[in-house]
Amino acid sequence: MSASDLDRALHATVLKREAVKEAEYRAARQKHEEEVRLGFGATDMTKEELKKLIDSDRRMYYRSEELNDKLFIQYKGWKELKNLEGWTGLRALYGECNAFDRISGLSSCRNLRSLFLQENCIKKIEGLEGCPLLWNLNLNNNFIERIEGLSHLRSLNTLTIQRNKIGFSGVDDLVHLVETTISTLDVQDNKIWDPDVLPEVFVRMGDLRVLYLKGNPCAKKIPNYRKGITAVCHNLKYLDDRPVFPEDRRAAEAFNRGGLEEERAERRRIKEEENAQHERNMKAFQDMIDNVRREKRERDSMRDEDKYTNASDPVISQERRMQQQVEKWKQEHAEEIKDDAKVHAERCLRSESGDERTSRIMSHQLLDMPQCKSQRCGNVLNLASEKPNLRRTFGPTYIISFRHLKQRSAR
């Protein structure tokens, strides 16, 4: 082999070795990038990632997917909602702050009640055909331009869809709400500009009870915004940030009939009705008190003329029967309901009071004895040493005085 052939063979060997090293480096780099991406927010919602999520918190999740009723996948950075075939018992899904561009993968979640997909990239309401029991749907901060795909959800009660792009096409973007059973609707901070949305949509929603509409251009175009909505939406109980009371509804309807003067007259009538109701309540309460007192006087007068007393009356009332049953039960279970601590405390108090009385009598007898002063003091000191209660009777000052008197008498 010539020198040139040897050089070419060596060069080919070096190139092959460098190619192997380059392949290994690229594989290691790709693996590292994958780990970094999974650490800061995976881009794919795979079964492996869901398994990692289950294993990360054993106190919240069961190992078996079908046993879990809640799933928390916030802030994952996932682009597609999928691989939930095994989560058949799911009732609440928290998927906010991801990159979902559509609603999908929920066909197996037949028991789903609450779905939270706010702050994603969803552009259309779809993919909810497999969730007939859905109760609460949150789609805040997305890119939805039209409300649709909800008429088959006959259990849907709450729709929260703030800060989207609804309303550019006027009433057509919201007319689908008439076919739904939604009771609480939150469409704040959208692009609803057409004031006809009130008579065409909200008035025709028979189940509507709570409405949040502020932050839309139409709020400034609806005449007498709050009064107007309250007067025409008869079942509305809460509007924006305040409840709708019956008095407010009556005043709004009066304003709708005859303007400000009619509203003021209606408010005066409401005030008069409230005062009249208050007086009726007070009168009814006073009548109840008078009836009770009269019945008591009648019972007392009848008892005075009766030959029986309350204790000897052969006719046993319900109240008396219950009292007798309670007394009988207390007698039968006297040992069970006896308070040992209370009995012991009463015994100690009786013994202490008896000892103090005895010591006081004895001390007076000793001091009244016809003996010399020294002997009487000695008797008191001896008795004080034998009975500690006597020290409390005389006090330490008197005991010391008796001791000094005895010493002086002995000298």
Side-chain angles (χ1 to χ4, degrees):
M1 181 181 292
S2 62
S4 59
D5 295 336
L6 183 60
D7 291 338
R8 283 195 294 269
L10 290 175
H11 183 65
T13 304
V14 171
L15 290 177
K16 188 182 294 186
R17 187 163 57 248
E18 291 296 330
V20 172
K21 290 182 180 179
E22 181 69 19
E24 293 177 353
Y25 171 76
R26 289 181 181 276
R29 184 186 179 92
Q30 184 178 2
K31 182 178 179 181
H32 175 71
E33 291 178 353
E34 185 70 19
E35 291 177 355
V36 171
R37 187 169 65 253
L38 292 176
F40 288 98
T43 58
D44 197 10
M45 184 176 172
T46 61
K47 290 186 176 295
E48 291 75 14
E49 289 300 314
L50 292 175
K51 188 175 185 304
K52 289 181 183 179
L53 183 64
I54 293 175
D55 295 337
S56 64
D57 195 342
R58 297 291 182 82
R59 293 178 297 179
M60 182 178 295
Y61 297 107
Y62 294 102
R63 297 293 298 275
S64 300
E65 296 177 348
E66 61 273 8
L67 298 179
N68 294 289
D69 60 352
K70 292 186 292 292
L71 179 60
F72 297 89
I73 53 174
Q74 312 97 316
Y75 301 95
K76 296 293 184 180
W78 290 340
K79 295 181 179 180
E80 185 179 358
L81 186 62
K82 59 182 181 179
N83 292 320
L84 294 174
E85 291 79 11
W87 297 73
T88 55
L90 196 64
R91 290 175 176 266
L93 175 60
Y94 300 84
E96 59 266 25
C97 299
N98 282 284
F100 300 137
D101 58 353
R102 61 191 181 92
I103 304 174
S104 60
L106 300 176
S107 58
S108 299
C109 304
R110 305 288 296 180
N111 296 318
L112 191 64
R113 301 291 198 280
S114 299
L115 180 59
F116 300 92
L117 294 175
Q118 61 269 29
E119 300 186 30
N120 280 280
C121 304
I122 300 171
K123 299 180 180 179
K124 185 179 180 181
I125 303 177
E126 59 182 351
L128 298 174
E129 293 78 10
C131 307
L133 302 179
L134 191 64
W135 172 270
N136 185 10
L137 178 60
N138 192 325
L139 296 172
N140 292 341
N141 295 90
N142 282 281
F143 302 99
I144 300 172
E145 299 180 356
R146 187 186 184 92
I147 296 179
E148 56 187 346
L150 301 175
S151 59
H152 64 280
L153 301 176
R154 307 314 299 174
S155 299
L156 186 61
N157 177 270
T158 303
L159 175 61
T160 308
I161 193 165
Q162 302 177 17
R163 291 180 290 278
N164 280 268
K165 297 182 178 181
I166 300 171
F168 280 118
S169 300
V171 178
D172 295 337
D173 290 349
L174 296 98
V175 72
H176 180 72
L177 291 171
V178 179
E179 304 174 9
T180 64
T181 59
I182 294 174
S183 175
T184 302
L185 177 63
D186 189 350
V187 289
Q188 298 180 78
D189 301 312
N190 276 279
K191 311 300 179 183
I192 305 172
W193 58 269
D194 193 350
D196 291 338
V197 71
L198 176 60
E200 295 294 334
V201 179
F202 299 142
V203 175
R204 297 169 59 190
M205 296 177 64
D207 297 321
L208 187 63
R209 299 294 184 274
V210 180
L211 175 63
Y212 293 91
L213 189 60
K214 64 182 181 180
N216 289 280
C218 68
K220 298 180 180 180
K221 298 180 181 181
I222 298 176
N224 302 302
Y225 171 72
R226 187 171 183 85
K227 294 178 183 177
I229 295 178
T230 304
V232 296
C233 297
H234 302 290
N235 296 324
L236 199 64
K237 302 298 183 183
Y238 208 99
L239 177 59
D240 289 338
D241 54 352
R242 286 185 295 169
V244 178
F245 295 105
E247 297 81 8
D248 300 333
R249 185 177 303 283
R250 288 179 57 181
E253 292 174 352
F255 181 84
N256 198 27
R257 290 193 308 267
L260 187 58
E261 294 298 329
E262 183 67 22
E263 180 188 358
R264 290 174 178 173
E266 186 66 26
R267 289 192 181 277
R268 285 194 296 269
R269 286 192 290 270
I270 292 173
K271 188 66 175 177
E272 293 173 358
E273 291 175 3
E274 290 178 353
N275 294 335
Q277 181 65 31
H278 178 71
E279 292 178 359
R280 287 195 298 270
N281 293 339
M282 295 300 295
K283 185 177 182 303
F285 182 70
Q286 188 62 41
D287 293 343
M288 182 182 65
I289 294 176
D290 296 339
N291 292 333
V292 171
R293 289 176 177 174
R294 185 183 67 256
E295 292 175 359
K296 185 177 184 303
R297 288 194 299 268
E298 292 176 356
R299 286 196 303 269
D300 294 342
S301 61
M302 293 175 63
R303 180 60 67 189
D304 294 339
E305 299 176 358
D306 198 354
K307 63 179 180 179
Y308 297 104
T309 62
N310 291 332
S312 61
D313 194 349
V315 180
I316 302 177
S317 62
Q318 182 69 18
E319 181 180 358
R320 185 180 171 191
R321 184 182 297 106
M322 293 177 62
Q323 186 177 1
Q324 290 178 356
Q325 291 176 355
V326 171
E327 295 296 334
K328 181 180 179 182
W329 184 88
K330 288 182 178 180
Q331 293 177 1
E332 294 176 352
H333 302 80
E335 293 297 328
E336 299 178 7
I337 64 176
K338 184 174 66 174
D339 192 348
D340 297 335
K342 182 178 179 181
V343 173
H344 178 70
E346 291 176 350
R347 190 186 306 116
C348 293
L349 289 174
R350 285 196 301 270
S351 74
E352 289 183 2
S353 61
D355 292 343
E356 290 179 359
R357 192 183 309 108
T358 303
S359 60
R360 190 177 295 110
I361 294 172
M362 294 178 65
S363 62
H364 286 299
Q365 291 176 354
L366 288 173
L367 292 175
D368 294 340
M369 289 174 62
Q371 297 173 349
C372 66
K373 185 182 295 185
S374 174
Q375 187 175 1
R376 288 200 301 270
C377 293
N379 293 336
V380 171
L381 291 175
N382 294 334
L383 184 60
S385 62
E386 293 176 0
K387 291 185 175 295
N389 290 333
L390 191 61
R391 293 180 178 272
R392 292 196 296 270
T393 303
F394 286 101
T397 304
Y398 294 102
I399 299 298
I400 295 173
S401 301
F402 289 144
R403 188 176 292 112
H404 285 300
L405 286 174
K406 181 179 180 181
Q407 293 176 357
R408 290 178 58 185
S409 301
R411 295 196 195 100

